[in-house]
Amino acid sequence: MKIKSPIVTLLVGLVIAAVVAALSINAATSKHYSAPAGVVIR
Amino acid sequence: MSEVQTRTGNGKLVVPVLAGALVSVLLGVYGANHKGKSIVFEISGFENLARAKTWLALLAGVLALVQLVSALIMWGKIKGVNPPWIGGLHRWSGRIAFWTAVVVGVFCLYGIGFQTFDTRVWLHSLLGCLFFGVFVVKMLVLTKSGLKGWVLPVVGGIVFTVLVVVVVTSAGWYVTTQM
C-alpha cells in the first residue's frame, strides 16, 4: 500500500517529536541536584 | 454539481478538521498540565535553550515565506514565473518548516509548558498548539480529491498566518528585546 506523502510528512514529524522528547526527558531526568559550596543538605 | 455531491465534497473536510482540532486540544491540555523545568537536550552550537529555539523558529519563519511565495506562483498569482521545480520547492520547504517547528514545539511544550503570564506568551502558547492542528488539517486535505477550489488556499493561508504569529511572538520578540 502506497502511503501518500502528506501522511509520510506527518509520520516523520511524529518520529522527530518522539526522538526529541525522549532525548529531552533523558536530559531533564538525568540532571542531578548539586548544592552550591557551603550549603548543607539535611 | 448536485446537492449530494456538494455535501459529499464538504463532508470530506470533517475528518481532517476533527483530527486537527484533536491534535491542538491534546497539545494544549498537555502544555497546560505540564510544568517544564527549562531542561531539554542541548543542541550543539547554541548558547542556551532560548537561542536554540529562536534560530530554529526563524528558520521555520523564513521557510514559511518560501511557502507563501511558491504557493502564489503555483496558483498563478505571480505572473511570468512558473519553473517546473516550484511544486517540489513548496513541498520540501513546507516539510522542513514543519519538522523544524516540531523540534521547537517539543522544546517549548516539554521544556516550558503552556504559559499565560502575559498576552504575548498566551498568544504564542495558544497559536503554537493551533499551528500543529491546522498543519494536520492541511496535510489531510491534500489527500482528498473533489474538494472545492478555495479549500487548499484557505487552509494553507491559515497555516501560514498562524506560524508567522507564532514566530513573531517568540523569536521575533527575543531578537528585538533580548539580543
Side-chain angles (χ1 to χ4, degrees), chain B residues 52-71:
Chain B
K53 292 195 305 174
T54 295
W55 285 110
L56 291 174
L58 288 173
L59 172 62
V62 167
L63 291 171
L65 293 174
V66 173
Q67 282 277 285
L68 174 67
V69 173
S70 57

Side-chain angles (χ1 to χ4, degrees), chain B residues 152-170:
Chain B
L152 205 50
V154 166
V155 175
I158 293 172
V159 173
F160 172 78
T161 303
V162 171
L163 180 58
V164 166
V165 176
V166 170
V167 171
V168 166
T169 53
S170 56

Side-chain angles (χ1 to χ4, degrees), chain B residues 103-123:
Chain B
V103 175
V104 180
V106 173
F107 281 175
C108 278
L109 277 172
Y110 178 75
I112 302 174
F114 198 105
Q115 298 293 314
T116 56
F117 61 83
D118 70 16
T119 303
R120 178 187 66 80
V121 295
W122 176 83
L123 191 61

